[in-house]
């Protein structure tokens, strides 16, 4: 049963709800007329049939809007993508930068928008950590399984003896949902402001527009530096913090029921090793589905559609773990 009062509050369904209400009144009138005069039975039955058909059309239009809402809540068209250097020093930070570059290039091919929220650079211009806002159709649906530890095996440019090094970087994909089923207590948030810095460390903004939020109960820490105003940075940081807390809650739930989730691709935990990029063998292996791809230079330039599709479909290969 549809709640017409709730539907009338939504501008997308208000007109349809009013049409449905009108049809229900009309239906009640015809049924009343029918009960009072049996001679009108055939005429009333034909009219009732027309009303029922109209109601079904309107109800379907309303249901389509509600289903779209449900899908957008489950798979929103906006995410925050974070990369963070792991083990391996400068090589790890360079790899974190390469991963961000790979995702940015893939976003271009998908027609998604890509915007920097926050960057912390290493001495070699890699990323110690960075956060990006990505918007577009199916962005979370396609990118949700990229969360985890990515491992690179190669000879770094700074290595004189030709030894292969193993370094890691972690990726987190946070969906920005319109509705969340919890509230953040303002007293639990510590807020800091600073100037947004540009390249070379110069201050491109003399006003303290950059925002850092710390959620005291969890220790979660988020920054937003690239919006035009302090208010916009605060709103963006709050959206990211909400997404991080939601992810934390989901991870806790996933761990509780991990044994029951036989079809899971992974826990969605940032600490889970999901993929190895082996440059010497020109090969990327995803350990969750035990499948490999070749042509690493092309992959690092964003040609990851095949990887994304395989992960989302749960297509299992026969490669062993490295």
């Amino acid at each position: 049963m549809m709640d017409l009062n709730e539907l009338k509050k939504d501008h997308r369904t208000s007109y349809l709800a009013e049409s449905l209400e009108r049809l229900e009144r009309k239906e009640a009138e015809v049924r009343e007329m029918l009960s009072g005069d049996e001679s009108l039975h055939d005429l009333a039955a034909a009219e009732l049939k027309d009303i029922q058909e109209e109601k079904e059309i309107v109800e379907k239009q309303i249901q389509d809007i509600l289903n779209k809402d449900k899908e957008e809540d489950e798979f929103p068209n906006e995410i925050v993508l974070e990369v963070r250097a792991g083990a391996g020093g400068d090589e790890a930070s360079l790899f974190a930068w390469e991963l961000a570059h790979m995702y940015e290039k893939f976003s271009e091919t998908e027609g998604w928008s890509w915007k920097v929220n926050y960057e912390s650079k290493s001495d070699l211009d890699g990323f110690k950590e960075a956060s990006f806002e990505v918007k577009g159709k199916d962005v979370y649906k396609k990118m949700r399984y990229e969360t985890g530890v990515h491992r690179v095996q190669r000879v770094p440019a700074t290595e004189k003896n030709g030894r292969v090094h193993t370094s890691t970087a972690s990726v987190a994909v946070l969906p920005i949902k319109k509705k969340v089923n919890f509230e953040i207590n303002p007293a639990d948030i510590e807020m800091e402001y600073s100037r947004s810095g540009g390249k070379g460390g110069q201050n491109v903004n003399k006003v303290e527009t950059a925002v850092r939020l710390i959620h005291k109960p969890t220790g979660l820490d988020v920054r937003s530096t690239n919006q035009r105003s302090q208010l916009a940075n605060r709103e963006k940081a709050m959206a990211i913090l909400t997404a991080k807390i939601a992810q934390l809650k989901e991870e806790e739930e996933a761990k509780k029921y991990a044994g029951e989730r036989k079809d899971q691709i992974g826990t969605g935990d940032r600490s889970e090793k999901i993929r190895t990029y082996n440059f010497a063998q020109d090969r990327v292996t995803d350990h969750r589905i035990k499948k490999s791809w070749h042509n690493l230079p092309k992959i690092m330039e964003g040609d990851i559609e095949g990887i994304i599709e395989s992960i989302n479909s749960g297509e299992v290969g026969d490669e062993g773990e490295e």
Side-chain angles (χ1 to χ4, degrees):
M1 189 73 181
M2 291 186 172
D3 186 337
L4 293 179
N5 289 328
E6 282 301 310
L7 292 169
K8 280 196 275 189
K9 291 175 188 175
D10 189 327
H11 69 92
R12 297 163 308 160
T13 54
S14 58
Y15 173 74
L16 292 167
E18 284 165 10
S19 298
L20 196 57
E21 200 171 47
R22 177 178 52 78
L23 286 166
E24 285 179 350
R25 280 199 305 268
K26 196 173 175 185
E27 183 181 25
E29 285 167 11
V30 172
R31 288 189 188 282
E32 190 179 342
M33 182 176 70
L34 182 60
S35 66
D37 190 343
E38 278 295 321
S39 65
L40 296 172
H41 182 275
D42 290 346
L43 184 67
E47 192 167 355
L48 280 173
K49 185 172 179 290
D50 290 342
I51 292 169
Q52 277 301 124
E53 285 173 359
E54 273 190 75
K55 275 177 69 180
E56 282 173 17
I57 290 167
V58 174
E59 283 171 351
K60 186 181 182 305
Q61 289 174 323
I62 291 172
Q63 198 57 54
D64 285 347
I65 291 168
L66 297 178
N67 287 345
K68 191 179 175 188
D69 261 10
K70 190 178 176 183
E71 186 178 353
E72 276 185 20
D73 189 49
E74 190 178 354
F75 299 116
N77 293 324
E78 180 180 356
I79 62 170
V80 167
L81 187 145
E82 297 181 336
V83 295
R84 190 183 301 264
D90 285 336
E91 174 67 3
S93 70
L94 290 172
F95 180 50
W97 180 92
E98 286 173 284
L99 287 174
H101 175 77
M102 177 182 80
Y103 291 129
E104 183 177 6
K105 288 294 182 184
F106 178 61
S107 296
E108 282 177 20
T109 64
E110 291 292 308
W112 300 333
S113 71
W114 176 277
K115 192 174 182 181
V116 176
N117 283 325
Y118 168 72
E119 293 176 342
S120 173
K121 294 279 190 78
S122 69
D123 293 339
L124 295 181
D125 253 3
F127 285 145
K128 292 178 185 174
E129 58 180 305
S131 165
F132 308 92
E133 174 192 282
V134 194
K135 289 182 182 178
K137 184 172 168 53
D138 292 336
V139 62
Y140 182 59
K141 190 179 277 188
K142 289 193 173 187
M143 295 292 290
R144 59 195 158 137
Y145 294 127
E146 293 304 295
T147 292
V149 173
H150 296 241
R151 182 173 68 167
V152 63
Q153 293 178 321
R154 65 181 169 194
V155 179
T158 53
E159 170 58 52
K160 294 184 175 71
N161 299 319
R163 287 179 305 169
V164 172
H165 286 227
T166 298
S167 305
T168 62
S170 63
V171 173
V173 173
L174 306 163
I176 303 297
K177 296 185 177 181
K178 290 176 185 173
K179 300 171 190 169
V180 289
N181 56 4
F182 61 88
E183 285 185 17
I184 300 173
N185 184 346
D188 289 340
I189 295 174
E190 193 176 306
M191 203 173 302
E192 295 175 2
Y193 300 106
S194 60
R195 295 179 185 180
S196 296
K199 285 183 181 175
Q202 80 267 27
N203 287 316
V204 293
N205 197 323
K206 292 183 179 179
V207 182
E208 293 188 332
T209 56
V211 174
R212 179 184 180 217
L213 299 182
I214 301 152
H215 186 241
K216 290 182 276 191
T218 60
L220 289 170
D221 171 330
V222 301
R223 291 173 170 84
S224 181
T225 62
N226 279 23
Q227 304 294 321
R228 288 181 176 273
S229 68
Q230 188 184 92
L231 178 62
N233 273 320
R234 196 169 69 209
E235 285 175 355
K236 179 55 63 182
M238 197 66 199
I240 298 169
L241 180 62
T242 303
K244 277 179 175 278
I245 294 170
Q247 187 197 41
L248 203 61
K249 289 176 183 291
E250 282 172 22
E251 277 180 20
E252 285 165 3
E253 283 298 304
K255 281 170 185 168
K256 270 188 210 170
Y257 301 109
E260 297 168 23
R261 296 171 61 203
K262 291 175 186 172
D263 62 340
Q264 68 179 350
I265 296 267
T267 60
D269 191 326
R270 195 200 276 259
S271 64
E272 179 188 13
K273 184 186 76 177
I274 63 167
R275 198 174 294 151
T276 294
Y277 302 70
N278 188 316
F279 278 75
Q281 296 173 9
D282 187 34
R283 183 179 71 190
V284 174
T285 301
D286 195 287
H287 305 298
R288 297 164 296 181
I289 58 171
K290 297 179 173 58
K291 191 174 163 95
S292 292
W293 296 263
H294 295 276
N295 200 343
L296 253 175
K298 204 172 173 188
I299 286 168
M300 300 313 288
E301 282 299 315
D303 186 16
I304 58 172
E305 181 68 33
I307 299 175
I308 297 286
E309 281 181 4
S310 293
I311 291 292
N312 276 282
S313 66
E315 180 184 314
V316 179
D318 55 7
E319 301 273 350
E321 283 229 6
E322 294 184 0

